[in-house]
Amino acid sequence: MPTTINVAAGDATNYETPALVVNLFQGVTQPGGGTGAVDRALGGVISQLIADGEIKGKLGELTLVHTIDRIPAKRVVVAGLGKSQDFDTGAVRRVSGEVARFLRRKGIGEYATIAHGAGIGGLNAVESAQAIAEGTLLGLYKFDNYRSNGNGADGGDDPDGSDGGIQAVTIVERDAGTVDELTAGVSVGTVLAESTMLARDLVNHPANVMTPTKMAEAAREVAETVGLELDVMDRDRMREHGMGAFLGVAQGSEEPPKLIVMTYWGDPDNPQNNLGLVGKGITFDTGGISLKPAANMEAMKGDMAGGASVIAAMNAIGSLKPRINVTGLIAATENMPGGRAQRPGDVVTAMNGKTIEVINTDAEGRLVLADALCYARSLGITRLVDVATLTGAIVVTLGKACTGIMGNSGKLAKDVGAAGERSGERFWELPMLEDYRELIRSDVADMKNSGGRQAGSITAAMLLREFAEEADWVHLDIAGTSTASSNKGHLVKGATGVPTRTLAQLAMNLANGK
Ligand code: BES
Ligand code: MN
Ligand code: ZN
């Protein structure tokens, strides 16, 4: 059952709720603000716990205090915000996620919280409320579609499924004049969190369910709900467009491939005000004839995470309605080693006429993206962001802490970075030096699809660059960031939905000329 986030004007100290969340910066011995008022009403128990060294205010630290009827709230949770100089919306998101799971584990169905950081924390009320909504909703995310009892599957947080879930969280604000801003922040945060959870669902579904056809259906549902144009291209239409690189990957599978095109018209009179989001949608990557080893191959159901984040971002964009035209393109197919599968050594011709020697059929993402980028260009899109679980090498380079950015436009890379600053999703740019181009030089074709062991993420991007051509373009390699290995803050084990919120934020920033 979904959780709702509300905002209420009132005094937290006198608010009746099963649990009230207050906060504390690290090193503070005499709490002020809402926390100070609650401390006084409780006879100084919080400052006593601080003095005893039991509450330190470390980021994510949670302390439960029973109020034994001294205030209307039955319990108080003191949430550590960390050092005040490190404080940002990321800390709010993290704390909100931890608090939500903590109280769910306690079997609490609803609670109230003060707006972390909106006062002395220095955040504006909109950003604070947005981060609380995102952290809470995303932190409570569970994927239990395949549990016959409907429980569990949340990374061990609730192994016996005894909780009934959190129905409602209320942000209590003393200053009635701030309520409107908090409410606006909550509504944006809710849209972004729900869209991110859509991306997580698409990724978490197994590949026997989440086929290219199913992805197209998910895109149709989004398009109908928020009002987008939708075009789903099948194999025959792709052939008419000469998408030999995409079709080469798809030919090893019985599952029909789909090139899904979703368009949001936010500024129809200005077609040059556009953004294209291109997602890799490999619904299962066996490697093809260059077959992957068996160990962990099941993780390759998540090789459509880029496509999922594009569908999800289009949902957010269609809901938030920025003044910019945004087209989402999702290149969806399986990569299978069937009897008609392409072979190492095959040469394919992409839509723009460029030829690629397929050295390794497991380097399939760049092949499907090549044609999707060409098609985006043929639609007149001049600003492109592609998102893909493209290389194992990016996980070696950056781990799971940030997404790799590569591209031909420093400006667009900066724009993505700025959107990431706001969303809390992190990015790091890798150098697109000309020296790397020779690594994908082919003896027989315009390029080859694998550059070997050196600079594996960058050589993949070098191939994509050949198809972005004159457009401003950046490539986001999310092979590391698309999944989380444990619950932490707003992330739960499994799909993260990255970079849905950043893509939506990018569209909003570009629309506002930022
Ligand atoms: N989908 C994989 C990349 C990947 C690896 C995603 C780990 C998530 C986690 C991609 O299609 C792939 O197989 N890449 C190869 C490229 C190589 C053959 C040039 C890789 O990274 O090993
Ligand atoms: Mn592969
Ligand atoms: Zn892949």
Side-chain angles (χ1 to χ4, degrees):
M1 146 209 9
T3 309
T4 55
I5 315 280
N6 311 302
V7 180
D11 175 5
T13 314
N14 292 316
Y15 198 80
E16 192 173 333
T17 173
L20 171 68
V21 182
V22 297
N23 60 44
L24 190 76
F25 281 112
Q26 195 169 333
V28 171
T29 52
Q30 273 307 319
T35 307
V38 169
D39 182 40
R40 284 188 296 279
L42 294 179
V45 66
I46 295 173
S47 34
Q48 186 62 54
L49 284 162
I50 297 169
D52 291 345
E54 230 175 284
I55 299 182
K56 296 190 173 69
K58 285 201 170 145
L59 182 59
E61 172 196 83
L62 301 176
T63 309
L64 186 64
V65 179
H66 281 255
T67 62
I68 46 175
D69 293 333
R70 285 188 177 227
I71 59 173
K74 270 191 87 66
R75 308 163 183 82
V76 166
V77 175
V78 184
L81 297 182
K83 297 185 181 136
S84 58
Q85 66 266 31
D86 297 340
F87 184 69
D88 59 7
T89 52
V92 176
R93 228 176 266 111
R94 163 123 180 242
V95 164
S96 301
E98 299 291 345
V99 162
R101 279 194 303 275
F102 175 75
L103 289 174
R104 181 174 65 185
R105 232 179 293 134
K106 301 263 174 226
I108 284 167
E110 58 175 278
Y111 61 91
T113 181
I114 61 171
H116 309 298
I120 46 169
L123 300 182
N124 71 49
V126 179
E127 285 187 44
S128 163
Q130 183 184 331
I132 290 171
E134 290 174 359
T136 304
L137 297 173
L138 291 172
L140 289 172
Y141 173 83
K142 272 194 193 190
F143 184 76
D144 48 20
N145 298 46
Y146 297 92
R147 298 275 187 186
S148 49
N149 65 3
N151 284 321
D154 59 353
D157 190 62
D158 174 31
D160 59 358
S162 57
D163 69 69
I166 305 271
Q167 289 101 52
V169 176
T170 304
I171 302 173
V172 183
E173 170 59 39
R174 243 188 29 205
D175 178 3
T178 310
V179 166
D180 283 353
E181 283 171 66
L182 291 171
T183 306
V186 165
S187 81
V188 172
T190 301
V191 167
L192 292 173
E194 282 174 352
S195 300
T196 303
M197 293 192 281
L198 167 63
R200 289 180 180 181
D201 280 347
L202 297 177
V203 173
N204 285 332
H205 274 294
N208 61 329
V209 171
M210 196 47 59
T211 59
T213 303
K214 193 67 181 274
M215 283 190 85
E217 279 169 27
R220 183 173 304 282
E221 237 178 83
V222 167
E224 281 170 5
T225 308
V226 301
L228 310 176
E229 245 175 62
L230 180 77
D231 182 21
V232 179
M233 291 175 69
D234 61 10
R235 220 190 273 266
D236 288 342
R237 277 183 62 205
M238 288 189 240
R239 208 172 280 131
E240 282 164 28
H241 281 96
M243 298 182 177
F246 190 148
L247 290 170
V249 175
Q251 76 190 35
S253 172
E254 298 282 331
E255 219 33 86
K258 306 284 174 191
L259 178 58
I260 305 161
V261 185
M262 314 169 76
T263 309
Y264 162 75
W265 292 107
D267 191 7
D269 297 334
N270 295 299
Q272 78 289 350
N273 179 19
N274 65 67
L275 172 66
L277 306 175
V278 182
K280 171 178 173 181
I282 300 295
T283 59
F284 196 77
D285 183 10
T286 66
I289 295 299
S290 312
L291 194 64
K292 287 184 181 294
N296 304 316
M297 204 204 276
E298 70 279 3
M300 285 301 120
K301 72 172 183 178
D303 210 19
M304 33 59 75
S309 74
V310 170
I311 294 174
M314 292 307 292
N315 182 71
I317 290 165
S319 308
L320 298 170
K321 307 207 180 304
R323 198 153 132 187
I324 181 172
N325 305 310
V326 187
T327 305
L329 301 98
I330 301 94
T333 178
E334 290 183 331
N335 184 25
M336 297 289 275
R340 293 203 38 80
Q342 67 180 345
R343 298 142 288 255
D346 284 5
V347 175
V348 295
T349 306
M351 185 178 166
N352 66 352
K354 292 188 181 178
T355 58
I356 309 167
E357 181 187 8
V358 180
I359 295 290
N360 189 322
T361 64
D362 198 11
E364 84 296 341
R366 64 202 75 181
L367 298 175
V368 303
L369 289 173
D371 276 324
L373 289 167
C374 289
Y375 188 66
R377 297 250 310 125
S378 79
L379 297 175
I381 298 166
T382 51
R383 187 157 52 190
L384 283 165
V385 177
D386 81 70
V387 192
T389 49
L390 206 61
T391 65
I394 202 71
V395 192
V396 177
T397 308
L398 299 175
K400 296 177 87 68
C402 60
T403 294
I405 308 193
M406 289 142 275
N408 64 11
S409 162
K411 160 84 169 67
L412 191 52
K414 249 181 74 195
D415 291 342
V416 171
E421 289 282 324
R422 178 75 203 267
S423 73
E425 296 173 335
R426 290 184 293 184
F427 298 85
W428 197 266
E429 192 173 359
L430 273 56
M432 290 284 279
L433 302 175
E434 283 312 314
D435 306 49
Y436 296 116
R437 177 60 179 81
E438 67 189 47
L439 294 170
I440 57 166
R441 206 186 293 146
S442 163
D443 294 335
V444 298
D446 296 338
M447 67 202 87
K448 57 183 181 183
N449 79 328
S450 167
R453 288 172 42 77
Q454 292 178 29
S457 304
I458 302 175
T459 54
M462 280 286 162
L463 184 141
L464 296 177
R465 191 182 68 169
E466 300 287 329
F467 303 89
E469 298 195 83
E470 305 308 311
D472 284 343
W473 154 80
V474 294
H475 156 61
L476 308 178
D477 194 335
I478 58 165
T481 51
S482 61
T483 55
S485 24
S486 60
N487 295 347
K488 187 177 178 189
H490 72 288
L491 299 180
V492 304
K493 186 177 181 181
T496 60
V498 167
T500 302
R501 291 184 296 112
T502 301
L503 297 177
Q505 188 66 50
L506 175 68
M508 293 193 283
N509 288 357
L510 293 173
N512 295 325
K514 271 194 233 165

